[in-house]
Amino acid sequence: MYPHGRLTYKTPFGSGMEQQLPFKILISFDKFVRYYEELAKSGNKFERNKAARILEAQKPYPELREGFTDVATLEKHREVLQILLTDAFSGVLSDNEIKAVSLPYVNVLFNPSRRLKKILEAAGPGYEPILQNGDEDFDYIMACTVILNFYFGYHLDFTRPYTFQIPSAEGVMHYYRVMYNADFMEIIPQKGAPEITQKDVDELLARPHDVEFWKSKIPPNSFVSKGFVIANLFNATSEYAISAIKSSLIGRMDRRTENFIDGLEDTFRSFFDLQDLKIGFITYSEYRNAFEKVEGNRVKSFILKDQSAKECKKALCIGSYEKLIEQHSYHVVPDVAKFLENSKGNALYKGLLKQGIESAIFAPITDQGELLGVLELVSARANVLNGVNATKLDDVMPYLAATISRTKTEEANLIDAVIQHECTTIHDSVLWRFKEEARRFIRSDEEGKRPNFKEISFRDVHPLFGQVDIKGSSEARNSAVQKDLLIQLSAIRSILQRLLDDFGLPIYEELIFRVNEHMTEINELLLNNAEQSIFNFVREEIIPVFRHVKTLDKDLRDLVKFYEEGIDSEMQAYYDHRKNYDISVRQINQSLTRHLDQRQEEAQKMFPHYYERYQTDGVEHNMYIGTSIVQDRTFDHLYLQNLRLWQLQVMCEMENAHYRIKPTLPISLDVASLIMVHNTEITIRFRMDEKRFDVDGTYNARYEIIKKRIDKAYIKGKRERLTQPGKMVIVYSQKSDELEYLGYISFLRSKGYFTDAIEIVDLESVQGVSGLKAIRADILYSRDAEEQRTYTYQDLMETLES
């Protein structure tokens, strides 16, 4: 290099040659001089005279043609070399061209043009540019391709961009791509140099990264590279910066680390050639129409400053709002002070000036028409960021958009993972609130705190509860269990009796006695522990006997196998009547939940509300509606009334859905429906330990107590259960609720959901809950969805049984 009138260099060869290459580098100007020897013979008079002067000047220095390896020799012959290279380094072009004498794969820049000399001087005293993109193994392979092309005549593409990294006087890093002119290089084989065939080339191309294999074919120093190259440098800072930005953004490195943000900021400084340039990012929330700070405390925002979020209309002026939010175009502020004056003190420009910002560019980051966020570029100098250099962003914004889009997806996945881990599945209507808490959780974790997922509550919501219960399900299950146990015990007794008859062992008689005791016990009454007691008896007493019996003779073995074939492998017991019961309950629940879930999708479109349902012996559901549940809509009591009417109608439809499948069930089971009306707002809280919502507070707990006990209630003064097949039961405590629901029933009666049979009853007190009343309305049924004719429950039963 020649930055200050003297040669400085950093090279891997000469006295400290460490880098291995397939050729020895011999610095020589022989081929260049031969050009002048030819010109001295065949050129015009002017060319011959000039060639003669150059040949005369270099004649006393034969080593310039013979060649040398010590780079210091270049400095020794600097004056004569400047004469020799006059044509290659035209003085007319020296202020424009960036070029120097160099050597392949070596950090040498000698005899720089005036423009390159100025660039090197501006970099500062002692600055030594290093050739970038170099890799010792790759350089070896590239040098081999040079030999294959220039000496052996093969045609391989061996180009690869190399750059010098040189800072400007202001400290902004610039990148200069190098193009080598190798017209004055010669490749000369050493003694024992290999012969390379097409087969060798094919093998080399098949192993492009195996440097040891390349060395086996073309050993180190088997050739001589004699001559020099002319390095032409081109300022590629913009392309390099775009490439670096693209690589950084598309790469999988952690975008929240300080190194990443600092590196990206340095790249943008090179891109705009502004040392004091700073960058910031903010994301855009469409549902809030607000800017939000990027998660993590290392990403700055000059619009938000220390705030975590701010509504766009409050954060921007009218003009910037139109450009960024509505038009998705750049908002350029070349002179912040003037914009502040023209806007009559707008807070955006006040805030920028307080931060020492004099010019700025705000660029919207969009993807397929959706605004994702804003890139902020700011400088402490006025007019250095302006409408002209803002257009440079056109080349990088697509990569920013792709990165932000991917980051949002990754963040959404992380938020979902946190919610799934902390809260299990959450209903869509309240998911927004859990996402907010998940973001806070993630931010606390990134800041090194001990994050905890706080309990989430929704205040002043209206509850709605309904259930469609399978009537007599306990009795039906007990009957099925009783029948299966009796069949299994009878089969066991038959085998034991055969054993007693054949072998006469008293133990068989004792086991028969115990089997008979179990059968007598469950014939009279199936106690809660009887099923498990019989299961234990069979497992511990009967199975070991049967296992032994199968070793005695073939007839007994076949008898036991026939018994075992009737035993369900999963239940380890006789499972026939219970299977019919389980299938019946499952099909009823599936029919009910399918209809309820499908209709719920429509209800959510009317007004968002929290919805959950549970399957037991039947289906029950909870709904909560109110202002705190929704994000961006205004709640009105009208939506509560609409949801109550919807619930009443849908539960009538669920009743119909059940009775349409009832004839196909293995066991004929009825259902009974109940709605509970609560006219007071309550608070619900998500219980982190139970992963579910529950009412919050002592007063609100009364609502849960009533819910759990109401279906066991009796009508006051009668021994009649409140819920009955064929009747819709609506439980309430206030006269206003009674009038409201009578109005709904009257409306639905006109649409064929109810008969004229309606009664109002008082309820017996249920464990401290008193004063409740109920409406019981007879439901109308149709045998299929298309049938116009309707039936009462009694008519339907007679029709189904006929």
Side-chain angles (χ1 to χ4, degrees):
M1 298 177 294
Y2 196 67
H4 298 295
R6 63 182 181 83
L7 178 66
T8 60
Y9 57 89
K10 182 177 183 180
T11 175
F13 69 94
S15 58
M17 215 186 322
E18 296 176 358
Q19 183 181 17
Q20 278 194 332
L21 289 172
F23 46 62
K24 293 180 180 179
I25 296 178
L26 190 65
I27 307 171
S28 170
F29 296 88
D30 180 59
K31 191 175 181 181
F32 192 77
V33 172
R34 292 204 308 265
Y35 166 77
Y36 284 103
E37 287 177 336
E38 184 64 28
L39 197 62
K41 298 176 184 177
S42 58
N44 58 40
K45 182 178 180 181
F46 175 79
E47 290 173 336
R48 290 197 303 272
N49 290 337
K50 180 175 66 173
R53 290 195 302 272
I54 290 174
L55 291 172
E56 185 65 25
Q58 62 82 36
K59 188 175 181 180
Y61 311 103
E63 63 265 36
L64 294 180
R65 301 192 66 174
E66 294 167 0
F68 51 89
T69 59
D70 189 355
V71 180
T73 304
L74 289 170
E75 176 64 15
K76 176 181 177 183
H77 298 297
R78 178 170 59 85
E79 292 183 5
V80 67
L81 286 174
Q82 285 177 334
I83 297 172
L84 182 64
L85 297 168
T86 299
D87 285 342
F89 290 82
S90 169
V92 176
L93 301 175
S94 190
D95 288 322
N96 182 53
E97 292 182 335
I98 310 173
K99 60 194 299 186
V101 169
S102 187
L103 301 165
Y105 315 113
V106 177
N107 302 316
V108 169
L109 294 174
F110 173 72
N111 194 47
S113 64
R114 284 195 293 271
R115 185 175 176 190
L116 177 56
K117 185 176 180 181
K118 290 177 182 177
I119 291 171
L120 295 172
E121 288 174 345
Y127 183 81
E128 298 183 5
I130 303 298
L131 196 64
Q132 304 294 308
N133 303 20
D135 174 86
E136 187 169 332
D137 289 349
F138 194 81
D139 286 346
Y140 191 97
I141 293 173
M142 288 296 97
C144 287
T145 63
V146 171
I147 293 171
L148 292 172
N149 281 1
F150 285 89
Y151 181 74
F152 289 104
Y154 294 105
H155 300 285
L156 306 181
D157 182 3
F158 63 95
T159 58
R160 180 186 181 183
Y162 284 84
T163 59
F164 279 104
Q165 183 176 310
I166 307 172
S168 68
E170 293 77 23
V172 178
M173 193 59 67
H174 286 197
Y175 300 87
Y176 297 88
R177 182 172 297 166
V178 184
M179 298 291 289
Y180 290 113
N181 181 336
D183 288 347
F184 307 106
M185 290 289 299
E186 295 178 281
I187 302 297
I188 304 169
Q190 294 275 68
K191 185 178 180 180
E195 285 294 328
I196 303 297
T197 65
Q198 183 63 54
K199 180 182 177 183
D200 294 323
V201 173
D202 293 342
E203 290 178 351
L204 290 168
L205 293 178
R207 301 168 75 169
H209 306 295
D210 189 349
V211 68
E212 295 303 322
F213 182 73
W214 283 74
K215 286 180 179 179
S216 71
K217 293 291 184 181
I218 308 177
N221 301 324
S222 54
F223 289 82
V224 172
S225 167
K226 183 179 179 182
F228 68 96
V229 296
I230 297 176
N232 293 280
L233 279 65
F234 303 89
N235 192 330
T237 302
S238 291
E239 293 128 2
Y240 184 91
I242 291 172
S243 177
I245 291 169
K246 177 181 175 181
S247 299
S248 298
L249 295 175
I250 293 178
R252 288 288 174 183
M253 60 199 304
D254 187 353
R255 282 174 282 280
R256 292 185 177 91
T257 62
E258 194 167 349
N259 288 342
F260 170 77
I261 297 300
D262 291 346
L264 194 60
E265 196 165 63
D266 285 343
T267 304
F268 268 99
R269 287 170 179 165
S270 296
F271 190 42
F272 280 86
D273 198 12
L274 294 173
Q275 177 58 27
D276 68 338
L277 180 73
K278 294 180 181 179
I279 64 170
F281 292 97
I282 45 178
T283 59
Y284 174 70
S285 171
E286 184 177 8
Y287 76 85
R288 288 181 171 177
N289 193 27
F291 292 131
E292 296 177 348
K293 197 171 184 181
V294 176
E295 299 295 344
N297 55 10
R298 297 181 179 90
V299 183
K300 301 182 288 289
S301 170
F302 304 100
I303 291 177
L304 294 180
K305 294 177 286 186
D306 296 329
Q307 294 177 281
S308 59
K310 193 172 184 179
E311 290 182 24
C312 295
K313 288 187 176 179
K314 294 181 180 179
L316 303 172
C317 66
I318 295 174
S320 58
Y321 185 89
E322 287 180 355
K323 288 183 178 178
L324 292 173
I325 309 302
E326 296 177 356
Q327 300 172 7
H328 295 174
S329 60
Y330 301 153
H331 178 56
V332 183
V333 188
D335 192 327
V336 175
K338 285 185 179 179
F339 271 66
L340 176 63
E341 182 181 348
N342 295 336
S343 67
K344 299 180 180 179
N346 182 266
L348 169 64
Y349 307 115
K350 274 186 181 179
L352 294 176
L353 281 179
K354 283 183 180 180
Q355 298 172 78
I357 297 167
E358 297 285 350
S359 63
I361 299 172
F362 300 108
I365 304 168
T366 61
D367 182 38
Q368 297 181 349
E370 177 189 0
L371 180 61
L372 305 176
V374 174
L375 168 67
E376 307 169 337
L377 304 177
V378 301
S379 170
R381 292 176 291 158
N383 297 310
V384 296
L385 290 171
N386 50 65
V388 175
N389 58 15
T391 59
K392 293 166 70 73
L393 288 173
D394 294 346
D395 295 323
V396 299
M397 294 309 290
Y399 304 119
L400 274 169
T403 300
I404 298 298
S405 181
R406 186 177 71 243
T407 300
K408 287 186 73 171
T409 301
E410 292 171 351
E411 182 185 84
N413 292 338
L414 178 59
I415 288 171
D416 288 345
V418 170
I419 293 174
Q420 184 69 26
H421 180 267
E422 298 292 331
C423 315
T424 69
T425 303
I426 299 300
H427 191 257
D428 288 346
S429 60
V430 294
L431 187 58
W432 64 273
R433 180 64 186 86
F434 284 82
K435 287 185 176 181
E436 284 185 345
E437 179 58 25
R439 289 189 183 95
R440 188 204 60 79
F441 181 97
I442 294 168
R443 187 161 54 248
S444 296
D445 184 49
E446 289 174 347
E447 292 171 356
K449 301 175 182 176
R450 291 184 176 179
N452 64 303
F453 205 96
K454 295 180 180 178
E455 288 188 335
I456 290 172
S457 63
F458 296 94
R459 300 180 60 83
D460 302 327
V461 296
H462 298 273
L464 294 90
F465 170 76
Q467 69 175 35
V468 181
D469 187 41
I470 299 175
K471 295 297 290 183
S473 58
S474 296
E475 292 83 355
R477 184 189 183 280
N478 287 344
S479 176
V481 171
Q482 187 181 42
K483 291 174 182 177
D484 282 344
L485 291 176
L486 287 172
I487 292 171
Q488 184 176 1
L489 290 171
S490 179
I492 291 171
R493 185 173 62 183
S494 296
I495 297 173
L496 292 173
Q497 187 63 53
R498 170 69 182 275
L499 292 170
L500 180 60
D501 293 342
D502 287 357
F503 299 101
L505 295 179
I507 187 62
Y508 297 138
E509 186 176 5
E510 191 270 339
L511 288 173
I512 291 172
F513 171 77
R514 291 169 65 186
V515 168
N516 287 334
E517 276 194 326
H518 281 301
M519 293 179 71
T520 301
E521 178 185 341
I522 62 176
N523 255 323
E524 294 174 354
L525 179 65
L526 183 64
L527 299 174
N528 291 335
N529 63 344
E531 187 177 356
Q532 185 62 45
S533 176
I534 294 172
F535 179 81
N536 293 338
F537 166 67
V538 172
R539 184 186 59 190
E540 297 169 7
E541 304 288 344
I542 300 302
I543 290 178
V545 171
F546 286 0
R547 191 180 299 121
H548 168 69
V549 166
K550 285 194 291 186
T551 66
L552 298 178
D553 64 51
K554 183 178 184 303
D555 289 344
L556 288 172
R557 182 165 62 250
D558 291 343
L559 195 62
V560 172
K561 281 188 175 181
F562 181 77
Y563 160 80
E564 290 175 341
E565 286 171 358
I567 300 300
D568 183 87
S569 59
E570 184 177 343
M571 302 293 292
Q572 292 297 304
Y574 192 80
Y575 183 60
D576 185 19
H577 293 85
R578 275 177 291 181
K579 183 178 182 180
N580 289 336
Y581 169 81
D582 290 342
I583 290 173
S584 299
V585 170
R586 182 168 64 251
Q587 289 182 356
I588 292 171
N589 284 346
Q590 286 175 348
S591 174
L592 296 174
T593 56
R594 182 166 55 246
H595 188 84
L596 181 60
D597 289 347
Q598 287 175 351
R599 294 298 308 275
Q600 247 294 307
E601 293 178 9
E602 301 169 14
Q604 291 292 340
K605 293 176 183 176
M606 300 175 193
F607 193 86
H609 55 278
Y610 181 76
Y611 160 72
E612 61 184 2
R613 59 147 173 84
Y614 306 97
Q615 293 186 38
T616 52
D617 287 347
V619 175
E620 63 179 54
H621 64 272
N622 294 302
M623 296 182 291
Y624 302 98
I625 188 170
T627 301
S628 60
I629 296 287
V630 293
Q631 289 177 271
D632 53 358
R633 292 183 62 176
T634 302
F635 173 75
D636 187 270
H637 194 75
L638 174 69
Y639 296 116
L640 172 62
Q641 294 173 320
N642 183 74
L643 192 59
R644 284 176 170 176
L645 175 59
W646 174 89
Q647 180 189 39
L648 183 59
Q649 179 178 340
V650 169
M651 288 185 65
C652 288
E653 293 169 0
M654 291 168 69
E655 285 258 357
N656 272 270
H658 164 67
Y659 285 107
R660 289 183 191 125
I661 69 165
K662 182 178 177 180
T664 67
L665 299 175
I667 297 178
S668 180
L669 295 170
D670 284 321
V671 298
S673 298
L674 176 144
I675 290 172
M676 193 182 84
V677 184
H678 191 77
N679 66 347
T680 305
E681 295 173 337
I682 65 173
T683 297
I684 58 172
R685 183 181 296 275
F686 188 83
R687 305 293 183 186
M688 297 301 299
D689 52 347
E690 300 177 12
K691 309 297 185 188
R692 62 182 296 271
F693 275 103
D694 200 357
V695 297
D696 188 45
T698 305
Y699 176 77
N700 294 327
R702 183 175 183 272
Y703 171 73
E704 285 293 329
I705 294 171
I706 297 173
K707 264 174 46 178
K708 292 174 181 177
R709 298 173 180 174
I710 198 64
D711 65 325
K712 303 295 191 294
Y714 285 85
I715 295 176
K716 194 170 186 179
K718 299 181 181 181
R719 294 308 298 164
E720 180 184 346
R721 285 282 291 269
L722 173 64
T723 55
Q724 296 291 334
K727 295 181 182 290
M728 180 65 65
V729 174
I730 303 158
V731 178
Y732 60 94
S733 61
Q734 302 294 321
K735 185 67 176 179
S736 59
D737 297 330
E738 177 185 302
L739 296 173
E740 182 179 344
Y741 274 86
L742 286 174
Y744 298 153
I745 293 170
S746 177
F747 167 70
L748 292 176
R749 185 172 62 231
S750 70
K751 297 177 73 67
Y753 284 86
F754 293 105
T755 72
D756 292 332
I758 299 171
E759 60 179 328
I760 297 174
V761 298
D762 294 318
L763 274 59
E764 292 279 6
S765 298
V766 182
Q767 296 179 329
V769 178
S770 60
L772 295 178
K773 298 171 73 70
I775 300 170
R776 295 205 302 187
D778 284 11
I779 303 168
L780 279 173
Y781 299 90
S782 58
R783 287 182 297 184
D784 60 66
E786 304 299 326
E787 186 180 32
Q788 298 297 316
R789 184 181 175 187
T790 56
Y791 303 80
T792 65
Y793 174 75
Q794 189 61 38
D795 293 336
L796 184 65
M797 292 303 101
E798 292 174 0
T799 302
L800 293 176
E801 291 169 4
S802 62

